[in-house]
Structures are given as C-alpha cells and as structure tokens.
Amino acid sequence: MNTGDCWLETQDQLPAGATIVPVICASDSTHLTNFSGNQHAWPLYLMIGNIRKDIRRTPKKHSWILVGLSPCPLKGAKNTDEAWHSAVGTVVSRLRNLDITGPSLKWNCPDGFQRQCYPLLAAWVGDYQEPVMIAQVLYGSCPMCEIPTGAPMGHSTIRLLDTQRD
C-alpha cells in the first residue's frame, strides 16, 4: 500500500510528523448453527495496512481483529443491504467522520512514542456477496465495472480504468 501514488499524495496533505493508517476491513457471511433456526451472521474484521505483509498474511500473528458480528436477515427479507450498511456504518463511523485536514488522533506506538495518526478506509476484502452489497448492484452483475451480464470478454463498452464507479 505504501508504494502507491494515492498513499503518497494523501500523505503530502498531512501535517509534518503525521502518518496515514490504512484500515483494511473484511467480511463474509458465516453459517452459525442449524439448531436454532439456521442462523447466519456477518463477522466484520479489521486490520491496519501498516503491518508488514509477511505478518499480515500469517494467521498465527493475529493481525486481524473481530470488531463486530452482525446478524444476517432471514432469506427473502426486504432491506437486507440497508441492514448490512447500517451495521457496518455504525462500526466505521469514526473513520467516516475523520477529516485529514483536521486534528489527528493521538495513538501510542509500540516504541513508546505518541503519534499523530489519520486512519483511512483503504480496502475491503470479501467474496462476491460483499462487493455486491457495498456497491448496491443487482446480484449477478459486476460491482466493479459496467459490462452487461453475459457479455463476451473484450466487450466494446468497457470503461477505462482511470474512472471510478459512482
């Protein structure tokens, strides 16, 4: 993450001595039990991107932490996406309201010093179901581009990679 242009451009906007703390979230619908009504839940995990990838990718290092467990609405329930967005919005509300031009958060670091930190949501890890819910597109369509469902590879309406989806 720290080798990307976006990181460097954002870091340049911060006061001297401050640092970006990229937040990586992950979620995946999980089957809990058949004994009490076929229950499912969405665990929400969080990790910071400043952790080296060799540590981040090793399960024994426990770099991911569970920050929430949201119940899944029953199959066929209306407003499933709204319930998920509401639950996740509550968990990440502090990130949403943080302004990089405003005051930083003071965090204690392992070296004993206190640092000026600006946590920013950098990535979301999930299987197909989560990006579809985040982008609020129809199931079966692509949450990343606007190629029609069933279109062959190399479709002529493919968008350039430098534009972002609304």
Side-chain angles (χ1 to χ4, degrees):
M1 289 186 159
N2 62 341
T3 60
D5 291 338
C6 180
W7 180 308
L8 296 173
E9 291 167 5
T10 307
Q11 184 71 42
D12 287 342
Q13 298 175 27
L14 300 180
T19 188
I20 295 173
V21 180
V23 175
I24 302 170
C25 293
S27 60
D28 192 12
S29 177
T30 299
H31 184 79
L32 297 175
T33 179
N34 286 331
F35 298 116
S36 59
N38 200 15
Q39 298 293 313
H40 289 77
W42 276 303
L44 176 62
Y45 296 96
L46 185 133
M47 179 189 57
I48 60 172
N50 294 29
I51 298 173
R52 291 189 340 242
K53 70 178 178 181
D54 61 320
I55 294 172
R56 196 170 57 224
R57 293 179 179 175
T58 307
K60 291 181 188 177
K61 301 290 185 178
H62 304 289
S63 59
W64 289 94
I65 59 167
L66 178 65
V67 293
L69 191 61
S70 173
C72 292
L74 298 173
K75 284 187 178 179
K78 294 182 179 180
N79 303 330
T80 327
D81 293 353
E82 288 179 23
W84 187 85
H85 277 273
S86 175
V88 169
T90 301
V91 172
V92 297
S93 63
R94 295 275 314 255
L95 294 177
R96 186 180 328 137
N97 299 327
L98 189 69
D99 181 14
I100 63 168
T101 61
S104 64
L105 299 177
K106 306 283 189 221
W107 286 356
N108 295 326
C109 289
D111 60 5
F113 291 99
Q114 200 173 57
R115 304 266 195 265
Q116 297 179 49
C117 297
Y118 290 87
L120 301 173
L121 185 59
W124 199 282
V125 180
D127 56 12
Y128 178 73
Q129 181 182 2
E130 280 72 28
V132 164
M133 274 195 302
I134 291 169
Q136 294 184 326
V137 296
L138 293 175
Y139 194 85
S141 59
C142 180
M144 308 301 169
C145 62
E146 294 180 351
I147 296 176
T149 303
M153 295 296 286
H155 192 269
S156 62
T157 61
I158 208 164
R159 295 181 321 143
L160 297 175
L161 293 176
D162 61 353
T163 60
Q164 293 182 355
R165 187 173 185 131
D166 294 337

